[in-house]
Each structure stands twice: as C-alpha cells, then as structure tokens.
Amino acid sequence: MKAAGLQSVVSTFREIKSRAESQWWELRDGGKPVVLVGTATCGRAAGALEVVQAIRDELKKQKLDCPVIEVGCMGHCYAEPIVTIIKPGYPPICYGHVNPVIAERLIREFILGDDPCLEFVLGALEENDLVPSFSDFPRAKFEKKVILKNCGYIDPQQIEHYIANGGYSALVKALQMPPEKIIDEVKRSGLRGRGGAGFPAGEKWEICRNASGKPKYLICNGDEGDPGAFMDRAILESDPHSVLEGMLIAGYAIGAPFGYLYVRAEYPLAVRRAQLALRQARKLNLLGRNILGSDFSFDIKLFQGSGAFVCGEETALIASLEGKPGIPHYRPPYPATNGLYGKPTLINNVKTLSFIRHIIQNGAEWFVSIGTERSKGTAVFALAGKVVNTGLTEVPMGTTLRQVIFDVGSGIPGGKRFKAVQIGGPSGGCLPESALDLPIDFDSLADAGAMMGSGGMIVLDEDDCMVEIARYFLDFTQRESCGKCTFCRLGTKQMLEVLDEITKGKGKIKDLDMLVELAEDIKAGSLCGLGKTAPNPVLSTLRFFRDEYEAHIKEGRCPALMCRELIAYYIIPEKCERSCDACVGTCTVEAISANKKRVKVIDQEKCVKCGTCLTSCPPQYNAVVKLSPPSQVPASK
Amino acid sequence: MIEEQAKVKQQTRRILNRFGRKRENLIPILQKVQGKLGYFPREAMLEIAEFLDMPEIDVYSVVTFYNQFRLIPPGKHSVRVCLGTACHMKGGYIALDAWKRRLDIDRGQTTLDREFDLETVACVGCCVMAPVTVVDDKPQAKVEPTKVDGILLSFKLEKERQGEESR
Ligand SMILES: Cc1cc2nc3c(=O)[nH]c(=O)nc-3n(C[C@H](O)[C@H](O)[C@H](O)COP(=O)(O)O)c2cc1C
Ligand code: SF4
Ligand code: SF4
Ligand code: FES
Ligand code: FES
C-alpha cells in the first residue's frame, strides 16, 4: 500500500479513536453513576427488559440523571438478570438475580442513598475493601478471558465503546502490514479453527490467498447448530465488532473484497445487533470503499440461516448462500480453492475470527504462550445441564474437565453425583468420571472418544440416562440428515429404532453389536461430517456405560429412572399424609385419587409419567417415588 | 377464495419488488414473505418462482428443506418447545407431551380454531431455565405440565376479557 494512504489511515483512525475515548471516559468518569444491565437473550429470558424499564422509571421518579446502558452477557447465566452499578467513590458492583423490586431498591438505596445493598451483590469488577470481587472467586484462577473480555462490559450497540477499549486498532495495524506477513503471524500463532474440526487457520488462509480465481470470498460461520451451545450467539450479541474486525483482517489478508456473516435464524437478537454494528462501521468508513482512506475496500453482508443443522457444514452453508437446499458436496476441492460460486472462499467460525485481532495486536508469541503443545490459546465453553454455574467460560487450552466443571462451574447442584459430561454436541461423546482429569485440547478429547466441537458442554448427573441421551442425539441427527447419503439417511434411522426399543425395554443383547456395526457403516459411507460423526454419542456411551444399556435390556430397568416406559410413579402408602392432597390437584390427567383411608393412589393406566406429583408432594412427606422396572409397583388390592 | 389469492399475490409481489432477480436472493425473499404471510400459500411460491425465473418445484424444495419455513398457516399464538440438549434432559419432552395433550395437535400443526401452533426448536440460548418453551417470542422458564395449563389459562382469560370489552 502507498505510504500516503497509510498515513491517512493512521491519522483518520487516531481522530476516531480519540472521539470514542472521550465518549467512553465521559461515561465512566463523568461524575455520574452509570447503570449497566445485561440484555443478551439469556438476560431477557430471565426478565432483564422489565428490569431496565423499572430502573428507568425509578430514576425518573427520583429525578436522577444517570445513563442506563444495555450490555451483553458476562457469562454468569445462573445469576441473570445482572445489573452493574458504577458509582463514583465505589468499585463497579455487580448484582445478580435482580427483579424490578430489587432494581428500584438499588436506585433508591445505593444511587440515591449510599447503601450498596450488599445482600444482592454478586461481586465487584475490581478489587476493593468493600465487597468481594470476581477475581477472588475460585473460578478466576482458572479462567482467562480473551475473546469474552468485552462481553457484558461494553455496550454492543455503540461502536465507540468497542473502539475505546482497543477495538479496530488491530485492523489499523494490519493495514500497515503486507498480507503475507499477517498470514505468517496467524500461522505462527498456531490458531486452530474453533468450529469443531480444529484445522490450522493460518494454513487455510494461505491456501485461499494463493488460490487462483476472482473475486475471493470470506464467510464467517455463525450457524451454531449444536443444540446445546450458545457461545457464538453470546459473542455476536455482546461484542459484534470483534467479529467484524476479524473478518476485515482476514479479508485483507486473503485479498477478498466481500464477506458474508452467516447467522442462525433462531438468533434474532444477534442478527439485529450485528446489523447495527455493520451500519455503524460503515458510517465510520471502517467498512466499505477505501477503508480509512486506504486502498483496501471490503464490505460484509449478513445472511440469516433458515434452521437446518447441516448448513453449519461449510459446503452446505455455501449451497444455502447460493439459494439452494443446504446439501453438502464432496470435498476436495475444498472451499478455500473452490467455494462460493466456485471461487476461493475462506470460511471460519465466529470464535476463530474473534481471536484474530488479539493475535495481530499482541503477536503470535503471546498466543503461543497460552495453551498446550498442539492446541494454542483459550477455549470458550457453554456450560449447561446439571451444573451449578451454568453460563459461559473461557479457559486456557489444557485446563482439565474437572477444573471447568467443578471449579468454574461449582459442581453438581442438589448434592447429586456427577455421571458424565457431553462435549461436542451431536458429533461428540459422553465422557465419564475417569476422564475428568484430561487436559482439554483438540487431540486429547478426540482420543477419549469425544471431540472438542464448538464448545457446548452439558453436565449429566445420576438422574440422566445414558441410553436416552444417545437416543436423543440420534433422533436429532436422523431428523437433520439431508438425505443425500444412504447410510446417513437410513443407517441413523435404523440405529434410532434400535435405541428406541432399548429405552422401552424391548432390546436384545445382540442389538449392541448391531449398533457398533451400523456405526462403522455410517461412518464409512457418509459424505459429510454430520453422518461421519453421528454415531459418536452412541459409541462413547456404549464404551463407558455399557452396564446401563444392559440393565435396560436384561432387567427392563432404567438405572437413572428416566426412560418413561421403564418407570412407574408410586405413592408409598405409609408415607402419604391423609390430610394432604397436594398431588391430587396437580396431576394434569386426574390419575390420582384417595382411597377409603384417604391414602392417595395412582391409577397406573391413566398416569402419563409427567412427574408433577413427585415435585408437588411436600418434602416433609416425600411419598411419591419412581420405580424401575414398573413391575416393582405392588399390586393394588 | 379468489380474493384471498389475489391478495397473497399482491403482498408477495410487493416484497419481490425490493429484491434483484437473482437466485441467491431466494432465501432472503422467502424469509421476508413468511414474515409477512406467516407461511407459504401456493400462489406465493408461484409468484416467487416466476420472479426468479426458476421452476416452481425448486422453490418448493427449498421451502421444504429448511425447518424455518412453513406450508400451513400459523396460529395466532406460537408455542415453540425447546428440545435442545439441556432442555430435553431436564424434561422438555414432558413439556412437549403436555402441550400436545392440551392443544390436541402434533408438532408442526395448528389448532383447528387457529389459536395456537406447536413447533419444536433446538436451544434458544437460555438453557439455564430449562425446560424452556418460547410462547409468542417470550421464553418461559421451567415449563412443567402445570405451567402449560397456567399459560393456556392466562390466554383464555385474556380472550374472555377482550370478548367482554368488545361487547
Ligand atoms: C454437520 C456439521 C455442522 C457444522 N456446524 C458448524 C457450526 O455450526 N459452526 C461452525 O463454525 N462450524 C460448523 N461446522 C464446521 C464447518 O464445516 C467448518 O469446518 C468451520 O466453519 C470452519 O471454521 P474454523 O476452521 O474456524 O473452525 C459443521 C460441520 C458439520 C459437518
Ligand atoms: S452424511 Fe448425511 S448430512 Fe452429510 S451429506 Fe450425507 S446424507 Fe447429507
Ligand atoms: S406422574 Fe404425572 S400423570 Fe402420573 S400420577 Fe403423577 S402427576 Fe399424574
Ligand atoms: S449470562 Fe448470557 S449466555 Fe448466559
Ligand atoms: S437447550 Fe433449551 S434453551 Fe438451550
């Protein structure tokens, strides 16, 4: 690039940045308290918008003038809605489980008065003498936030917040480097793709740059199809510009004038926030023609997926961008040389691209210093299921599963026992207790029979049936198979039928061998990753939890008391309290009646096994139990 | 009926006019048309096929391929039961059963009075509150069979109230 162009880039950006910084510091140090409310999808579902309204109303009523900012997601899902108050003279304090009533109190007692309402505090964002800070939490020792750093801290709807916190500086730095140098930096960083397969990013960039064919395209894969994962959504909702900046740098490096941001249809808020981010970036000429006065032009179009899991697969995704059904095709050729409209196309996951600006800014050596021998940097996980601290976390590669589940996640709720952790979604597997000390990286998880996947992590406890979870994933992949390959289409269906029978207690021992055989056939006979990995949940549960399969088959018993055909609800007469009829009214099918002695009895014919009676029976009586096999229910007289 | 068809055509055409005649616009067009009409009547698909100069069967195959697109009219209220991993394991299937029982329809269907339609989704991103059902765009937390009854009752009361007001 010409030197004159570069000078203008630097000086134009300096101006933009200084304006952004003065806006940011005006907000943070302007002498007024500031209220931050997390309004990502998770927060909204917990009632964050009602909290925002309550705060605005109360501020008005008290004639207080302080800004209320909607931020993204801090990752503490379990404590949503979350409100942070930054008041001069105090550290920024974060409150959890806030409802409109608590919100009003925070305004009156903390902002107007001087009582920081310690009873609602989750933690402070900075160390101080008044309240415990997040850095004192046990999980802080294990977490390292790189791409989640801004999430929940800046307003994703104001580009200035992003810029004031170092945003787009990496782009400016990159524009002063030759593209080959950028690719070299990414290669040396060892960054591997975070979409699941872990292909080295720098290598893919190089192949794409060197491929002939014009124009080249860039695609950011935000399809996030794993039905138990929400990392990419949280990033797009909380810090969309970090993704755009990664796309810009990638586009410059490979020589693409155009990029698509492909976002899943089920994420309407992520779509809105990304669209706003695109408009704001265009307005500051960080996107569009001759970016910041340089000779680099690049634009991004947002494309909404239409709800098909297979479209996360790169060739299917490209087909859907072209307006066709999302059916994968055989690779090679890979998209890097023959992609969208047959042109060289670089496709990377949201998280992969989010790392780019940090690598450019801090250098490859910094990135290499984090992680393990063959997996560098950090990993982002969405923790859900039977774990106390559900939410998002980011830890260095090499952290053990135990540290993530028990130190970051605070273990299993309700004093229950850990049984397994499901990683990698429909393509991954279930790992037992004995695998908990595995350091997490791409290779170790694959060796253990799971896979890194994109970062969904579902914790399962003693109440979760391992045959059922395998059946669940097979049901999912079977529905989502595009139908192109016979083995994927029919093989998964056949496996599902076998699993269905087993969960109903109608399986045979030889079915287990058949499952393994079918699995091998499907793996060998499928074209895309969906089919190739679909058997993994079955194979890994068979490997580690064969005894549960056998209990279903040989004894007609579900050890976790989950499979409905193999359990019965029963009210223990000796425990049932005569004067109580809590369960009778809650049973939605009127299956419970009182006998002459006013002891409640379940009509097994009518019962649909919904479990409501079990939760409604008061804990002091605890008379309702699940029995497996159902024949354990004593015959009624 | 004829009038209805003409209206569908007109509404579809109005949306089409905002797009270029390129096949790559097919999915964005479908999304906008469904946003307006709620589903795809045959006339809408014909209109789109003509506009993009492609066989009608190709439009149809794209509509049926993607889970997001519907061929039957939606109900006034949408009920989407989350069957993502976390929700399923915490009883999403029990919630789905309860909805099916009460609405007396299967997934993918609309009640006869066109009040409700029932769909399933995979993870709406608030697994913490599993099992989740999204009712008219609002995620409802911990949906057990009694909560299903509660939600339906509040719709019924709302309807009765409106009925009285309009009288
Ligand atoms: C069935 C299937 C679903 C996939 N879903 C996703 C997805 O939701 N998001 C994603 O980034 N990659 C997904 N992938 C992987 C992509 O094909 C591709 O490898 C990835 O986007 C490349 O980006 P990366 O190198 O940054 O990981 C999927 C692959 C398969 C086979
Ligand atoms: S493996 Fe399955 S999803 Fe993939 S192309 Fe074949 S049929 Fe389609
Ligand atoms: S499990 Fe459900 S249907 Fe059966 S008795 Fe209890 S409340 Fe009634
Ligand atoms: S706190 Fe937002 S994804 Fe949870
Ligand atoms: S699994 Fe239901 S919201 Fe995530």
Side-chain angles (χ1 to χ4, degrees):
Chain A
M1 203 174 295
K2 290 179 290 289
L6 280 180
Q7 259 171 19
S8 110
V9 170
V10 174
S11 62
T12 316
F13 186 70
R14 196 181 299 132
E15 259 174 56
I16 293 177
K17 183 161 174 158
S18 84
R19 262 194 319 248
E21 281 174 340
S22 59
Q23 254 188 45
W24 171 258
W25 290 112
E26 166 74 34
L27 179 74
R28 293 297 299 264
D29 279 351
K32 278 188 217 161
V34 184
V35 184
L36 312 179
V37 187
T39 60
T41 303
C42 46
R44 286 174 186 228
L49 292 181
E50 289 80 356
V51 168
V52 171
Q53 196 54 45
I55 290 173
R56 293 226 160 93
D57 291 348
E58 189 64 24
L59 287 170
K60 208 160 162 194
K61 204 161 115 199
Q62 305 294 344
K63 305 206 167 43
L64 288 166
D65 168 34
C66 49
V68 180
I69 311 274
E70 293 188 25
V71 294
C73 158
M74 283 214 230
H76 299 281
C77 291
Y78 60 92
E80 293 277 3
I82 294 175
V83 171
T84 305
I85 296 179
I86 309 174
K87 180 171 168 168
Y90 290 87
I93 306 179
C94 195
Y95 300 87
H97 302 291
V98 177
N99 58 30
V101 178
I102 298 177
E104 284 164 19
R105 276 188 60 187
L106 290 174
I107 304 298
R108 279 197 308 272
E109 291 167 27
F110 184 30
I111 296 196
L112 198 61
D114 261 317
D115 169 11
C117 299
L118 295 179
E119 63 271 40
F120 306 124
V121 169
L122 198 60
L125 298 183
E126 289 161 13
E127 282 183 42
N128 65 93
D129 303 328
L130 183 69
V131 285
S133 72
F134 283 122
S135 53
D136 302 329
F137 281 29
R139 65 189 282 176
K141 240 188 17 235
F142 300 96
E143 291 189 293
K144 180 173 180 64
K145 297 213 170 172
V146 177
I147 57 176
L148 293 185
K149 193 158 192 234
N150 275 339
C151 298
Y153 182 65
I154 63 166
D155 181 350
Q157 309 192 73
Q158 295 192 47
I159 191 171
E160 292 79 11
H161 282 199
Y162 178 70
I163 295 175
N165 284 283
Y168 290 110
S169 295
L171 170 68
V172 172
K173 185 170 173 187
L175 288 177
Q176 298 171 66
M177 294 161 71
E180 294 78 8
K181 182 92 201 320
I182 297 175
I183 293 179
D184 186 54
E185 198 74 28
V186 176
K187 269 173 86 175
R188 283 191 301 115
S189 76
L191 174 67
R192 292 172 68 175
R194 297 301 198 256
F199 191 84
E203 259 174 61
K204 207 186 315 186
W205 289 26
E206 190 167 53
I207 296 169
C208 194
R209 174 161 184 90
N210 293 337
S212 56
K214 264 188 171 176
K216 287 178 181 147
Y217 293 103
L218 170 76
I219 299 171
C220 172
N221 189 343
D223 198 43
E224 193 156 71
D226 171 355
F230 47 91
M231 306 75 50
D232 296 359
R233 169 185 65 74
I235 292 172
L236 287 167
E237 287 179 354
S238 311
D239 196 16
H241 286 285
S242 66
V243 182
L244 304 191
E245 187 172 1
M247 291 180 74
L248 276 155
I249 297 172
Y252 173 71
I254 62 164
F258 200 75
Y260 286 93
L261 175 55
Y262 192 102
V263 185
R264 188 168 173 234
E266 286 88 341
Y267 289 171
L269 185 66
V271 168
R272 283 207 301 278
R273 290 198 170 164
Q275 246 151 2
L276 180 66
L278 287 173
R279 281 202 298 278
Q280 292 175 339
R282 250 179 236 125
K283 208 159 156 196
L284 293 180
N285 191 216
L286 287 160
L287 204 59
R289 295 190 67 81
N290 299 95
I291 289 170
L292 298 173
S294 70
D295 51 20
F296 173 54
S297 298
F298 189 76
D299 210 346
I300 297 174
K301 191 167 168 181
L302 189 140
F303 190 94
Q304 284 192 60
S306 309
F309 172 61
V310 71
C311 283
E313 196 280 334
E314 50 194 26
T315 60
L317 187 150
I318 287 171
S320 81
L321 273 178
E322 293 171 350
K324 301 177 189 151
I327 297 173
H329 64 71
Y330 186 76
R331 306 175 308 174
Y334 288 90
T337 54
N338 294 69
L340 188 61
Y341 304 115
K343 305 293 180 193
T345 303
L346 174 67
I347 172 159
N348 273 136
N349 170 262
V350 167
K351 288 172 283 331
T352 315
L353 289 165
S354 300
F355 277 113
I356 297 302
R357 73 176 184 109
H358 299 283
I359 292 172
I360 296 301
Q361 201 67 297
N362 305 326
E365 287 67 31
W366 161 81
F367 196 75
V368 168
S369 73
I370 310 167
T372 63
E373 181 65 33
R374 297 196 47 220
S375 302
K376 299 298 180 195
T378 54
V380 177
F381 288 105
L383 260 180
K386 309 289 176 58
V387 59
V388 175
N389 297 339
T390 43
L392 284 180
T393 184
E394 183 171 5
V395 296
M397 292 276 186
T399 306
T400 66
L401 285 167
R402 190 186 299 281
Q403 286 162 340
V404 172
I405 297 166
F406 288 88
D407 294 309
V408 175
S410 294
I412 319 296
K416 298 274 182 177
R417 261 194 37 233
F418 169 88
K419 185 187 276 181
V421 54
Q422 208 287 335
I423 310 176
S427 312
C430 291
L431 299 177
E433 172 113 39
S434 62
L436 280 180
D437 293 309
L438 274 183
I440 299 168
D441 72 17
F442 287 103
D443 311 304
S444 68
L445 290 182
D447 292 344
M451 77 179 238
M452 184 83 174
S454 61
M457 197 184 268
I458 311 274
V459 182
L460 304 169
D461 72 5
E462 54 190 275
D463 296 336
D464 294 315
C465 171
M466 302 320 275
V467 185
E468 171 55 26
I469 192 154
R471 196 204 59 80
Y472 163 79
F473 280 117
L474 246 286
D475 183 49
F476 179 83
T477 38
Q478 184 269 131
R479 276 174 210 278
E480 295 293 336
S481 163
C482 78
K484 178 170 175 164
C485 316
T486 319
F487 274 108
C488 175
R489 186 180 69 235
L490 299 178
T492 53
K493 205 171 168 104
Q494 209 177 338
M495 273 181 106
L496 177 63
E497 279 163 14
V498 173
L499 290 165
D500 270 336
E501 292 293 293
I502 296 177
T503 55
K504 289 180 184 158
K506 295 179 194 155
K508 297 181 202 67
I509 277 296
K510 67 176 192 329
D511 288 350
L512 299 183
D513 294 331
M514 187 162 104
L515 283 176
V516 176
E517 275 166 36
L518 276 169
E520 296 309 325
D521 290 346
I522 296 171
K523 282 187 166 198
S526 293
L527 186 154
C528 88
L530 188 149
K532 281 188 200 305
T533 58
N536 285 354
V538 181
L539 292 177
S540 71
T541 46
L542 259 176
R543 171 165 160 199
F544 297 116
F545 302 95
R546 198 179 170 98
D547 53 329
E548 287 200 27
Y549 281 85
E550 290 179 355
H552 283 73
I553 296 172
K554 290 186 186 157
E555 304 166 43
R557 179 173 66 90
C558 174
L561 300 175
M562 185 175 186
C563 295
R564 280 194 289 181
E565 308 262 344
L566 300 186
I567 58 166
Y569 285 82
Y570 176 63
I571 300 176
I572 302 172
E574 296 75 32
K575 284 193 171 181
C576 179
E577 166 62 41
R578 297 174 53 172
S579 62
C580 164
D581 58 2
C583 61
V584 179
T586 54
C587 175
T588 45
V589 293
E590 289 157 22
I592 308 178
S593 56
N595 68 12
K596 281 194 254 27
K597 290 190 215 137
R598 294 215 41 80
V599 168
K600 270 58 74 185
V601 182
I602 296 175
D603 179 343
Q604 298 294 341
E605 296 283 298
K606 274 194 191 165
C607 172
V608 293
K609 301 179 186 175
C610 71
T612 310
C613 50
L614 196 145
T615 31
S616 68
C617 183
Q620 63 268 38
Y621 309 135
N622 229 346
V624 186
V625 289
K626 288 194 253 185
L627 299 175
S628 180
S631 57
Q632 296 237 311
V633 175
S636 56
K637 286 148 242 155
Chain B
M1 224 35 213
I2 306 252
E3 221 170 277
E4 181 85 348
Q5 287 173 3
K7 195 168 153 212
V8 163
K9 277 195 166 183
Q10 196 195 9
Q11 282 173 323
T12 310
R13 208 167 298 148
R14 213 174 291 147
I15 291 167
L16 290 172
N17 286 338
R18 304 209 299 263
F19 286 91
R21 290 176 187 262
K22 280 189 290 190
R23 164 113 195 203
E24 63 178 59
N25 286 332
L26 176 59
I27 290 174
I29 287 174
L30 293 174
Q31 285 165 340
K32 282 270 184 289
V33 170
Q34 174 156 303
K36 179 82 196 167
L37 302 178
Y39 75 113
F40 292 99
R42 178 136 187 272
E43 296 72 40
M45 287 192 277
L46 284 172
E47 207 59 25
I48 295 167
E50 191 192 308
F51 180 81
L52 293 178
D53 192 21
M54 58 194 277
E56 186 202 342
I57 180 75
D58 285 5
V59 175
Y60 182 80
S61 68
V62 169
V63 169
T64 48
F65 183 84
Y66 294 100
N67 303 330
Q68 191 196 9
F69 300 130
R70 346 179 12 118
L71 286 165
I72 54 169
K76 210 164 93 198
H77 302 291
S78 86
V79 176
R80 290 182 295 144
V81 183
C82 180
L83 289 187
T85 319
C87 286
H88 177 80
M89 293 312 278
K90 284 192 176 170
Y93 58 98
I94 292 177
L96 177 62
D97 268 1
W99 285 109
K100 281 190 192 167
R101 199 162 50 237
R102 285 299 186 245
L103 297 176
D104 199 18
I105 50 176
D106 217 330
R107 56 164 127 170
Q109 297 182 333
T110 302
T111 53
L112 280 177
D113 61 3
R114 298 255 180 110
E115 281 288 310
F116 297 95
D117 60 68
L118 182 61
E119 298 277 347
T120 57
V121 284
C123 195
V124 285
C126 34
C127 317
V128 202
M129 297 180 289
V132 174
T133 296
V134 185
V135 180
D136 288 343
D137 288 334
K138 177 148 178 54
Q140 299 279 352
K142 307 215 159 51
V143 179
E144 282 155 11
T146 40
K147 183 140 182 187
V148 169
D149 288 351
I151 295 168
L152 287 173
L153 184 67
S154 66
F155 278 124
K156 196 168 151 228
L157 293 177
E158 174 73 8
K159 206 176 162 195
E160 279 172 13
R161 224 198 55 229
Q162 282 174 359
E164 261 161 44
E165 271 169 20
S166 66
R167 227 182 289 146

